[in-house]
Amino acid sequence: MLQYLDDALTTCERLLAQPDSQEWTQSCYTVGNILTGMGLIEEAYPWRVMALAKAPVNARFYAESGRIYSCCEAWLQAVQAWEQTLVYQPDNVEVRHRLAKTYGHLGDRRAEAKTLHDILTSYPDKATATIHFQLGRLLELQGENTAAVDCYRRAIQRDPVYAAAYVALGNLYGRVESWETSLELYQSWAEQDPDCAEVYSQMGRAHRLLQQPEAAIEQFHRALQLEPTMYWPYVGLMNTLTALQRWQAALDVCQQAHQAVGEAAWVHSLTGNTLSRQGNYPAAAASHQRAFALQGWQQCPDRGYTFGETWFSDVLLTWQTALAELRNRPQPLHALVLGNCEAASLCWLADHLLRQPTDRCWWMSNAFESTTLENLDRVAARSQLELKTGLPIEDARSLDGAAFDVVCVQCEGQQADALSALMEKVWPYVNPGGVLIFQNALWHPTSYPEQAPRVGIAAFTSSVGQHIVPIEQSYHALYQRRTN
């Protein structure tokens, strides 16, 4: 369908230079009909309006083209359309912002940052809170924390209830200054938006990290009073109560979550982690088996995997979506796991990816935990999973000349410089279309924040430029190598 759309837009573009009102009308209707067939009803409407125009308007044509290419995630075509729009409307800040976002989807952080910076420099009065925030996130990823703080502050000045900016600034304060500074910021936020559950959840987290458990418990409960189905306050309460060894109170929190949201995977995962910390490992394993079964991983209970504490259910569906296309390829699939990754993610990768006799997975680590090995022995394709001692990988050719479709890296404990160097060695052996998974990408050392893994990931992705596309950027960061 995208090819038909591309052909129809090419016809419209030709008519910009050689106007023919009748053919223009027909071509615009064709684009509108294709979009309607794709379910893009709202996007189709402007094309029907343009079909009635006596003459085409170049700027509007390119702006609407960029919009629909973005909806179709055809990012390169979208960039070209946005750039052409700016030829006719150079002062269109909204289009410049959309262009920056599109560069972000392409993984071109330098172009994204430059476009945002140009907006702030040339059109400071038109720069929205979102633009300041977006630039702040980019600067933080690059380790430019002082500049990022300034951007977040400007975002809050523009929008005093901008929750994402408060959260980002508070987390940054906590890492580079103190959580007391974060609390002061959250107090100001609460004054601006007293009915926002997120502010009390963040205050609870800051109190917990400051070793003020009773204050943390109070704020987490306050957040849940405003939003009973909110995830993070339950996690915060569980972490706080288990640290105090108030086991029954922690289990009561899990029961409260079950009553609020019903039969959800994360509730069973939360319960499993609480039971694991209590030392009730059989019950913990049963809870995790239920959590993973709810997410479609039926092999977990069927094969009797016994996981203690694991948060993998939080990201399982994201991994599944990212790797979906790889599973359907006829070629042998090769995966590489680097570092001491958690047992649940390794078992899931093996069950999910090693489906043909020629599929293989190599796991390289300085150490292998006995409980993880016991679970891996239950994997159906265990013979296709090879363990090698040692990190970092010095030469991927030592692995039988394999090139990899999936590379999974444990970031916890990794310094930015070492992580970036490791990925530069691995990158030549990543197949086009291959997926990179950085576990615990937001882990940060207690000192030297400039060496946090996310800084190393940002340096690596910048070095490979448009050859890599971000899929997900949260606690687990996922990227895909472009196929062209």
Side-chain angles (χ1 to χ4, degrees):
M1 187 66 78
L2 182 58
Q3 184 60 55
Y4 292 120
L5 179 61
D6 202 34
D7 292 343
L9 289 172
T10 300
T11 300
C12 288
E13 187 174 24
R14 174 178 59 80
L15 292 169
L16 293 176
Q18 302 173 349
D20 181 316
S21 60
Q22 185 174 355
E23 190 175 358
W24 170 260
T25 297
Q26 182 179 349
S27 298
C28 286
Y29 275 132
T30 298
V31 174
N33 291 337
I34 293 172
L35 292 171
T36 300
M38 297 171 68
L40 300 173
I41 308 300
E42 183 178 344
E43 288 73 14
Y45 176 75
W47 292 90
R48 303 193 188 283
V49 174
M50 283 193 287
L52 302 176
K54 293 181 180 180
V57 178
N58 293 26
R60 185 167 190 186
F61 164 77
Y62 286 114
E64 292 299 335
S65 296
R67 183 183 177 194
I68 59 179
Y69 277 132
S70 294
C71 288
C72 298
E73 298 185 359
W75 304 118
L76 287 175
Q77 294 97 316
V79 164
Q80 294 170 358
W82 296 134
E83 288 178 340
Q84 281 298 115
T85 306
L86 293 172
V87 170
Y88 298 98
Q89 293 181 338
D91 297 331
N92 192 324
V93 172
E94 181 183 355
V95 168
R96 289 182 180 274
H97 189 200
R98 290 185 177 186
L99 177 61
K101 288 182 177 179
T102 308
Y103 282 132
H105 286 296
L106 285 169
D108 191 342
R109 299 300 180 201
R110 292 174 183 171
E112 182 184 7
K114 182 181 182 304
T115 304
L116 292 170
H117 189 268
D118 287 347
I119 295 173
L120 299 181
T121 302
S122 303
Y123 310 95
D125 294 338
K126 295 182 180 180
T128 64
T130 302
I131 292 173
H132 287 288
F133 172 75
Q134 189 177 348
L135 182 58
R137 296 297 282 172
L138 284 171
L139 292 168
E140 185 180 351
L141 284 171
Q142 295 166 6
E144 299 180 36
N145 293 329
T146 302
V149 165
D150 290 339
C151 285
Y152 294 145
R153 284 174 173 167
R154 288 196 296 268
I156 292 170
Q157 288 172 357
R158 290 295 178 100
D159 183 356
V161 294
Y162 196 165
Y166 280 108
V167 173
L169 181 56
N171 286 335
L172 191 51
Y173 279 153
R175 290 197 302 271
V176 303
E177 293 189 28
S178 69
W179 287 105
E180 286 92 346
T181 307
S182 301
L183 271 177
E184 292 174 4
L185 174 71
Y186 298 150
Q187 291 287 357
S188 300
W189 180 11
E191 292 172 4
Q192 295 289 336
D193 196 3
D195 294 327
C196 175
E198 181 67 36
V199 62
Y200 304 109
S201 178
Q202 293 297 325
M203 289 174 71
R205 178 170 178 261
H207 280 300
R208 184 175 70 83
L209 293 170
L210 287 167
Q211 305 299 317
Q212 299 167 354
E214 300 306 327
I217 291 169
E218 179 184 355
Q219 296 301 333
F220 287 135
H221 279 302
R222 191 172 182 182
L224 291 174
Q225 288 173 357
L226 290 167
E227 197 170 326
T229 61
M230 192 175 182
Y231 172 73
W232 286 111
Y234 287 111
V235 175
L237 281 169
M238 187 277 277
N239 283 327
T240 306
L241 291 168
T242 55
L244 297 171
Q245 296 188 359
R246 298 180 189 173
W247 306 117
Q248 188 55 52
L251 290 170
D252 289 344
V253 166
C254 297
Q255 183 60 32
Q256 179 185 346
H258 190 273
Q259 292 172 350
V261 302
E263 193 75 349
W266 70 262
V267 175
H268 289 284
S269 176
L270 189 73
T271 304
N273 289 334
T274 303
L275 291 165
S276 177
R277 293 182 185 183
Q278 187 182 19
N280 190 346
Y281 301 116
S287 290
H288 286 307
Q289 287 173 1
R290 179 59 181 161
F292 289 125
L294 286 170
Q295 294 178 306
W297 186 19
Q298 188 58 42
Q299 296 100 319
C300 180
D302 290 349
R303 291 180 182 148
Y305 295 137
T306 54
F307 304 127
E309 184 169 346
T310 175
W311 299 96
F312 181 62
S313 69
D314 288 358
V315 296
L316 184 152
L317 296 180
T318 300
W319 285 35
Q320 183 171 295
T321 300
L323 300 177
E325 292 183 8
L326 295 176
R327 296 187 76 212
N328 298 322
R329 296 191 327 180
Q331 303 96 327
L333 192 149
H334 291 165
L336 175 65
V337 178
L338 298 172
N340 192 18
C341 297
E342 64 170 309
S345 63
L346 288 167
C347 292
W348 181 87
L349 277 174
D351 285 341
H352 196 71
L353 297 181
L354 305 181
R355 302 193 302 162
Q356 304 298 329
T358 51
D359 297 336
R360 293 187 68 188
C361 178
W362 291 267
W363 178 22
M364 302 185 71
S365 179
N366 286 327
F368 303 97
E369 295 182 4
S370 59
T371 53
T372 300
L373 296 176
E374 290 170 6
N375 279 303
L376 288 177
D377 285 340
R378 299 185 177 100
V379 170
R382 178 63 181 85
S383 62
Q384 296 163 244
L385 177 61
E386 184 175 345
L387 278 58
K388 287 181 172 287
T389 303
L391 271 179
I393 179 172
E394 293 299 335
D395 190 347
R397 287 174 296 183
S398 67
L399 301 178
D400 302 331
F404 306 108
D405 306 289
V406 179
V407 176
C408 181
V409 184
Q410 173 59 266
C411 294
E412 184 172 348
Q414 291 259 29
Q415 289 193 337
D417 293 342
L419 181 59
S420 179
L422 172 66
M423 292 311 302
E424 287 176 4
K425 292 177 181 177
V426 172
W427 178 250
Y429 304 100
V430 179
N431 282 327
V435 175
L436 307 180
I437 302 173
F438 296 94
Q439 286 195 12
N440 299 318
L442 295 184
W443 177 85
H444 58 89
T446 54
S447 56
Y448 305 108
E450 69 277 5
Q451 283 296 322
R454 66 183 178 282
V455 177
I457 295 170
F460 160 67
T461 55
S462 294
S463 71
V464 296
Q466 293 189 11
H467 296 291
I468 195 169
V469 180
I471 300 173
E472 172 76 13
Q473 291 183 293
S474 56
Y475 210 79
H476 287 207
L478 283 76
Y479 296 82
Q480 185 170 34
R481 181 164 188 163
R482 294 184 61 84
T483 54
N484 50 35

